[in-house]
């Protein structure tokens, strides 16, 4: 794997750049994990001088570190150019003049831009490559990768005109989370679980990805997107792929992506009758904005901020096991959790006269905020008789490893700079995921699926009841 030191960011003044990319690059710098000859060029539409741009990044990083000396050293490595995305030449000129700053001609172009700017930016990179054909290029593309199946195919084709798949890094930050990667370790590194993860033993799987926050200032993006495209099509389907795919030939990039793709292609057609869409209203005290009251949300918006649905998988391993998925904004807490419930086997122990409450075994993988895994088993309650009750076999990252958990973006940026594609999505996976959600998007479009209002700040169970 080769390290690329030229980092060119399209969308350098955007939310994502400030909330994720600069903090992560700085973290890598602090860890001494950036290439020695790292050179950064940020590009965006805003007419900022280099100093003004650096001031903005400085403000962002002040919240992260008090080490002023380090921060300033990092900031002086950042350059900025104002460009017009509709004018490929302006971007090209900026990249060319910047390229004098390093000897190695290895460029990582990072697209933190909306899909509408994608075509222009791709053309700029393509022209740049044509003219400087000695250089090597990698492209990192942020989500959303396309807006539907057709546009995702179009984006893939646009990139394929001048890049090989090995040069394209499609981002999904969920794959950079330690606890998501641990799904593979848990499944394939333990003889205890893998033999049980199939329709003989598993009764159901549940995955919740819920948030306390509303959409904040992101209406410009979210109102035209909705949670199906924002979270379900990518984060949720990616996590399920890792959880339910077949064992890969090796724990390596393309072997894993082959299995993820096979899994996505095995998903059963969606039962639209089992899909519930919701949109947050105000909370019960009326203190929080409802979705429609958020700044820049269109009047009478029908954008969904909540979805619950049932998935099915048409393969030998999972046929008949329901997978329940729920995701939404403005609930009572932020949590991402998987629960795998096994068929019960405690019939010999049920004794109605005694206070016996055995429950089916459940394997819980909490991805956030508590990074933990536990397995509930039934154990005998001490004393006379034979009463069994569930207890937890438990592992947390904090207690077991006692090392800081790296932020997902930091990990993914490092992998992209070093050229490891394992945690990035391949074109066939992206297209299979869009194909899967297509019927829901079409039903929404036809007005057959509409969100109902739910009260903000409620638990997921309460919201589900409201939407029934
Ligand atoms: C992003 C979505 O990709 O993921 C956001 O655009 C969502 O709407 C976020 O809030 C959730 O990520 P995390 O890591 O905070 O669970």
């Amino acid at each position: 794997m080769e390290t690329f030191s030229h980092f060119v960011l399209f969308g350098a003044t955007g939310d994502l750049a400030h909330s994720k990319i600069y903090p992560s690059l700085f973290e890598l710098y602090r860890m001494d994990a950036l290439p020695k000859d790292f050179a950064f060029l940020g590009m965006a539409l805003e007419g900022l001088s280099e100093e003004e741009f650096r001031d903005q990044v400085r403000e962002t990083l002040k919240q992260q570190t008090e080490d002023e000396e380090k921060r300033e050293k990092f900031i002086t490595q950042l350059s900025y150019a104002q460009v017009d995305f509709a004018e490929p030449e302006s971007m090209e000129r900026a990249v060319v003049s910047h390229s004098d700053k390093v000897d190695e001609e290895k460029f990582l172009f990072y697209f933190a831009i909306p899909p509408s700017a994608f075509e222009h930016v791709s053309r700029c990179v393509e022209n740049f490559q044509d003219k400087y054909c000695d250089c090597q290029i990698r492209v990192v593309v942020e989500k959303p990768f396309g807006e539907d199946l057709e546009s995702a195919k179009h984006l893939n084709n646009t990139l394929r005109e001048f890049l090989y798949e090995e040069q394209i890094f499609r981002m999904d930050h969920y794959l950079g989370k330690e606890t998501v990667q641990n799904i593979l370790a848990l499944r394939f590194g333990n003889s205890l679980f893998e033999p049980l993860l199939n329709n003989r033993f598993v009764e159901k799987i549940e995955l919740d990805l819920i948030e306390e926050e509303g959409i904040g200032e992101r209406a410009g993006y979210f109102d035209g997107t909705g949670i199906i495209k924002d979270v379900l099509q990518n984060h949720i389907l990616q996590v399920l792929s890792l959880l339910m795919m077949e064992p890969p030939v090796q724990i390596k990039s393309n072997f894993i992506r082959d299995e993820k793709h096979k899994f996505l292609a095995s998903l059963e057609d969606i039962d639209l009758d089992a899909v519930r869409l919701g949109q947050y209203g105000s909370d019960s005290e009326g203190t929080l904005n409802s979705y429609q009251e958020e700044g820049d949300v269109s009047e009478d918006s029908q954008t969904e901020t909540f979805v619950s649905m049932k998935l099915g998988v048409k393969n030998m391993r999972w046929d008949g096991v329901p997978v329940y998925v729920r995701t939404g904004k403005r609930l009572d807490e932020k949590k991402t959790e998987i629960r795998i419930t096994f068929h019960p086997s405690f019939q010999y122990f049920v004794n109605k006269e005694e206070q016996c409450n055995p429950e089916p075994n459940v394997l819980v993988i909490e991805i956030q905020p508590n990074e933990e895994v536990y397995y509930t088993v039934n154990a005998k309650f001490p004393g006379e008789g034979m009463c069994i009750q569930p207890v937890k076999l438990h592992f947390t990252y904090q207690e077991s490893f006692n090392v800081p958990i790296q932020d997902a973006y930091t990990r993914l940026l490092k992998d992209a700079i070093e050229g490891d594609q394992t945690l990035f999505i391949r074109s066939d996976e992206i297209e299979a995921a869009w194909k899967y959600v297509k019927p829901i998007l079409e039903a929404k479009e036809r007005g057959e699926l509409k969100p109902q209002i739910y009260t903000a700040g409620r638990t997921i169970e309460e919201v589900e009841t409201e939407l029934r």
Side-chain angles (χ1 to χ4, degrees):
M1 280 185 258
E2 278 183 291
T3 304
F4 280 31
S5 12
H6 249 308
F7 195 105
V8 181
L9 175 64
F10 295 100
T13 53
D15 275 356
L16 186 82
H18 282 277
S19 63
K20 299 290 183 192
I21 300 174
Y22 301 131
S24 296
L25 283 178
F26 179 62
E27 188 56 27
L28 290 173
Y29 178 75
R30 240 186 350 190
M31 289 157 51
D32 236 351
L34 285 178
K36 290 279 163 289
D37 50 353
F38 179 75
F40 175 96
L41 171 64
M43 290 198 258
L45 286 168
E46 277 84 343
L48 299 176
S49 68
E50 199 140 273
E51 263 327 295
E52 285 167 330
F53 168 70
R54 287 178 179 173
D55 283 346
Q56 289 187 351
V57 179
R58 184 174 291 113
E59 279 311 304
T60 297
L61 296 184
K62 270 185 189 166
Q63 295 155 23
Q64 186 180 351
T65 179
E66 285 172 9
D67 186 344
E68 205 176 313
E69 199 186 325
K70 249 239 136 101
R71 187 180 68 216
E72 290 310 310
K73 272 196 183 153
F74 173 72
I75 287 174
T76 48
Q77 298 192 15
L78 309 180
S79 305
Y80 178 76
Q82 179 197 8
V83 292
D84 182 349
F85 287 152
E87 227 192 81
E89 293 74 29
S90 68
M91 294 188 248
E92 210 183 299
R93 275 195 303 276
V95 180
V96 171
S97 71
H98 182 73
S99 65
D100 299 339
K101 295 200 176 168
V102 278
D103 301 333
E104 288 266 22
E105 296 288 287
K106 292 179 182 162
F107 290 84
L108 187 141
F109 291 96
Y110 196 115
F111 292 16
I113 49 169
S116 53
F118 193 94
E119 186 96 31
H120 292 304
V121 172
S122 302
R123 293 291 164 228
C124 155
V125 177
E126 184 178 10
N127 289 341
F128 177 76
Q129 174 170 269
D130 285 350
K131 291 195 185 149
Y132 300 89
C133 50
D134 273 351
C135 68
Q136 295 179 49
I137 284 178
R138 255 176 222 155
V139 166
V140 179
V141 191
E142 268 297 336
K143 71 171 265 277
F145 191 87
E147 293 166 289
D148 53 22
L149 178 59
E150 285 65 38
S151 59
K153 281 186 176 167
H154 177 72
L155 296 187
N156 277 331
N157 290 339
T158 305
L159 291 175
R160 266 191 220 115
E161 282 176 28
F162 66 104
L163 297 172
Y164 296 108
E165 184 63 40
E166 293 66 38
Q167 295 170 276
I168 308 169
F169 292 67
R170 294 177 197 76
M171 191 84 161
D172 183 318
H173 77 278
Y174 260 71
L175 296 180
K177 290 182 191 275
E178 272 300 335
T179 35
V180 171
Q181 293 165 49
N182 188 45
I183 292 173
L184 294 188
L186 194 72
R187 284 190 60 189
F188 304 126
N190 293 294
S191 49
L192 178 63
F193 297 122
E194 190 46 28
L196 302 183
L197 291 177
N198 55 57
N199 52 10
R200 274 189 65 204
F201 298 100
V202 174
E203 186 173 290
K204 64 177 176 184
I205 294 181
E206 295 159 292
L207 193 167
D208 291 339
L209 191 164
I210 56 175
E211 298 180 83
E212 203 178 339
E213 299 270 303
I215 57 158
E217 310 284 306
R218 296 170 75 218
Y221 156 72
F222 193 88
D223 202 37
T225 305
I227 207 149
I228 295 168
K229 296 184 185 184
D230 185 43
V231 169
L232 178 75
Q233 184 272 348
N234 36 74
H235 305 328
I236 287 187
L237 291 183
Q238 283 295 317
V239 172
L240 282 180
S241 304
L242 292 174
L243 184 74
M244 299 179 76
M245 70 184 195
E246 291 301 313
V249 177
Q250 289 175 32
I251 299 289
K252 284 206 174 136
S253 162
N254 270 337
F255 294 118
I256 294 176
R257 301 194 301 172
D258 287 345
E259 297 308 330
K260 278 162 63 196
H261 173 248
K262 266 202 283 183
F263 168 77
L264 290 166
S266 322
L267 286 168
E268 242 165 38
D269 289 349
I270 296 175
D271 171 8
L272 291 175
D273 290 336
V275 176
R276 294 274 171 282
L277 301 186
Q279 185 188 77
Y280 62 83
S282 184
D283 56 334
S284 46
E285 283 89 44
T287 48
L288 294 170
N289 274 350
S290 69
Y291 178 74
Q292 296 196 2
E293 285 163 348
E294 303 280 22
D296 294 332
V297 166
S298 59
E299 222 176 284
D300 298 330
S301 170
Q302 291 295 310
T303 300
E304 79 290 349
T305 60
F306 177 95
V307 58
S308 75
M309 60 186 283
K310 183 175 122 187
L311 292 81
V313 186
K314 250 185 315 161
N315 65 19
M316 280 176 70
R317 182 190 281 263
W318 293 115
D319 190 21
V321 178
V323 181
Y324 299 100
V325 161
R326 303 183 289 190
T327 181
K329 293 191 180 287
R330 270 273 186 264
L331 283 102
D332 66 329
E333 60 175 341
K334 180 170 176 71
K335 190 176 203 176
T336 304
E337 184 181 87
I338 300 166
R339 289 178 301 280
I340 303 172
T341 305
F342 294 88
H343 290 303
S345 65
F346 46 69
Q347 49 277 33
Y348 296 118
F349 295 93
V350 177
N351 181 349
K352 293 227 170 64
E353 275 99 70
E354 298 181 49
Q355 291 299 305
C356 287
N357 299 303
E359 284 176 13
N361 300 135
V362 186
L363 175 62
V364 179
I365 304 171
E366 186 168 327
I367 288 169
Q368 60 190 26
N370 302 318
E371 289 148 331
E372 64 178 354
V373 177
Y374 60 85
Y375 188 47
T376 63
V377 295
N378 289 305
K380 180 185 171 299
F381 190 82
E384 284 175 25
M386 182 51 94
C387 237
I388 63 169
Q389 286 191 7
V391 293
K392 281 183 182 177
L393 300 179
H394 193 225
F395 140 81
T396 71
Y397 267 78
Q398 188 115 40
E399 285 166 15
S400 306
F401 296 116
N402 199 20
V403 291
I405 300 285
Q406 205 173 47
D407 164 74
Y409 260 85
T410 309
R411 165 69 196 263
L412 292 174
L413 284 185
K414 185 161 188 287
D415 283 1
I417 290 171
E418 293 177 352
D420 183 349
Q421 288 192 305
T422 310
L423 304 177
F424 294 86
I425 307 176
R426 211 169 52 188
S427 60
D428 52 357
E429 292 176 66
I430 283 272
E431 290 181 17
W434 278 120
K435 188 168 173 212
Y436 178 66
V437 297
K438 190 174 173 175
I440 317 189
L441 300 178
E442 288 175 346
K444 255 182 67 184
E445 195 72 8
R446 291 192 301 268
E448 289 165 16
L449 272 179
K450 284 193 183 148
Q452 292 165 257
I453 305 295
Y454 58 91
T455 311
R458 296 234 156 125
T459 64
I460 182 104
E461 288 74 24
E462 287 167 342
V463 169
E464 275 218 297
T465 311
E466 269 190 277
L467 297 182
R468 231 169 248 148

